[in-house]
């Protein structure tokens, strides 16, 4: 299944790691191995790699690894990470053209430097633009779809597409972008504004996160999506889940919608703790919380 990749690996600048401890690339720092981890050098090499993939081989793309849990048995397939060539960013009038491996916070800082407003909310989202687009990430009453114009992607068969924002069916933490559709770059529409005003808003977002969320710990960000007209964190807290533990996985005492790997939690600890939370909230409020964290890999 991997013979073609092994043959081309030595001929490309892209880096291939076989039987790789993929948990090292995630914020949770837990989980199993993936068959192949590939850091893609540029778009040309990405096309070559895709053309040499077995069609039945499962694939996935990770960015910063902040919103993903990889199960203990690992991922039987290839996981891609787009490299520095996908970090390009440029101004086109009041629009920003950017590669999707750029960190969300760096994108917002670039907008600030160029007196462009609308991307301040991205400074409060840990991850890359690719992930923000795919899940329509948002915070502070703003979402990625508010500023996104179009994307360029390539699918598993090497077919390139340019899609308008309206084509993506962007909704709350969701889109129609498939796991084997790889977003390469995107165009964003922003507005001219005063740097002082933009910077003030970014500082307010940082202070809010610092005050309300657990930072600098092993977590995956918000665990569950907010139900319609409700807040997952409040539902979890009111279901007496704050501080709940399973192994070394614990519900944050600062914000109940965050699960933390306090020491050496297994991926199963985290996933099973999430299921306990779901059960408790459902029994009390008749609301089934939906995972916001993406869980991939073989079930135990």
């Amino acid at each position: 299944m991997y013979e073609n990749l092994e043959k081309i690996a030595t001929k490309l600048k892209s880096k291939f790691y076989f039987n790789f401890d993929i948990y090292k690339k995630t914020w949770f720092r837990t989980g199993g191995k993936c068959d192949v981890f590939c850091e893609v050098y540029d778009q040309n090499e990405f096309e070559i790699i895709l053309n040499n993939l077995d069609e039945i081989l499962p694939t996935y793309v990770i960015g910063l690894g902040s919103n993903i849990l990889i199960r203990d048995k690992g991922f039987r397939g290839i996981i891609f990470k787009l490299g520095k060539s996908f970090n390009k960013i440029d101004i086109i009038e009041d629009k920003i053209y950017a590669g999707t491996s750029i960190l969300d916070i760096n994108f917002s800082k670039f907008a600030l430097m160029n007196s462009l407003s609308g991307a301040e909310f991205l400074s409060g989202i840990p991850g890359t633009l690719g992930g923000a687009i795919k899940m329509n990430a948002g915070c502070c009453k703003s979402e990625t779809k508010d500023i996104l114009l179009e994307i360029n992607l390539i699918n598993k068969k090497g077919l390139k597409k340019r899609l308008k924002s309206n084509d993506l069916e962007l909704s709350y933490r969701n889109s129609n972008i498939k796991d084997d559709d790889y977003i390469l770059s995107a165009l964003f529409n922003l507005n001219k504004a005063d740097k002082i005003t933009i910077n003030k808003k970014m500082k307010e977002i940082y202070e809010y996160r610092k005050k309300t969320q657990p930072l600098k710990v092993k977590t995956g960000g918000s665990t569950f999506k907010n139900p319609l007209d409700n807040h997952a964190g409040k539902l979890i807290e009111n279901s007496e889940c704050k501080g709940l533990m399973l192994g070394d996985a614990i519900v944050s005492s600062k914000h109940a919608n965050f699960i933390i790997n306090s020491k050496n939690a297994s991926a199963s600890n985290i996933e099973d703790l999430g299921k306990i939370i779901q059960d408790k909230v459902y029994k009390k409020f008749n609301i089934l919380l939906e995972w916001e964290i993406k869980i991939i890999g073989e079930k135990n």
Side-chain angles (χ1 to χ4, degrees), residues 32-49:
K33 297 175 181 283
C34 65
D35 289 347
V36 185
F37 175 61
C38 176
E39 294 181 349
V40 183
Y41 179 73
D42 62 13
Q43 184 174 325
N44 180 57
E45 290 203 0
F46 202 8
E47 292 179 42
I48 294 171
I49 294 165

Side-chain angles (χ1 to χ4, degrees), residues 129-178:
L129 281 183
I133 294 168
K134 185 175 179 181
M135 70 175 292
N136 186 30
C139 80
C140 303
K141 299 180 180 180
S142 295
E143 295 179 302
T144 306
K145 71 176 184 179
D146 299 335
I147 59 173
L148 181 66
L149 286 176
E150 63 184 37
I151 66 169
N152 294 298
L153 62 76
I154 187 169
N155 66 16
K156 191 176 179 181
K157 296 181 179 179
L159 179 64
K160 288 177 279 188
K161 296 180 184 178
R162 177 174 294 177
L163 299 173
K164 299 293 183 182
S165 177
N166 291 338
D167 298 325
L168 307 179
E169 298 178 7
L170 296 168
S171 58
Y172 175 68
R173 305 299 176 266
N174 195 38
S175 72
N176 63 10
I177 302 170
K178 300 175 183 177

Side-chain angles (χ1 to χ4, degrees), residues 57-70:
L57 184 67
T59 65
Y60 199 78
V61 173
I62 63 169
L64 200 58
S66 58
N67 195 52
I68 188 169
L69 178 66
I70 297 168

Side-chain angles (χ1 to χ4, degrees), residues 88-98 107 109-117 186-192:
K88 294 176 182 177
I89 189 166
D90 201 5
I91 294 284
I92 304 173
E93 296 178 348
D94 291 342
K95 299 176 178 62
I96 297 181
Y97 177 83
F107 182 88
K109 287 178 179 179
F110 181 84
L112 166 64
M113 287 169 51
N114 289 276
S115 302
L116 293 172
S117 177
L187 186 66
F188 298 86
N189 187 40
L190 301 173
N191 301 303
K192 279 289 184 182

Side-chain angles (χ1 to χ4, degrees), residues 267-283:
S268 294
N269 288 157
I270 294 167
E271 186 173 3
D272 290 345
L273 180 57
K275 290 175 182 177
I276 292 171
I277 293 168
Q278 286 176 310
D279 288 343
K280 283 180 171 289
V281 171
Y282 187 77
K283 285 177 182 176

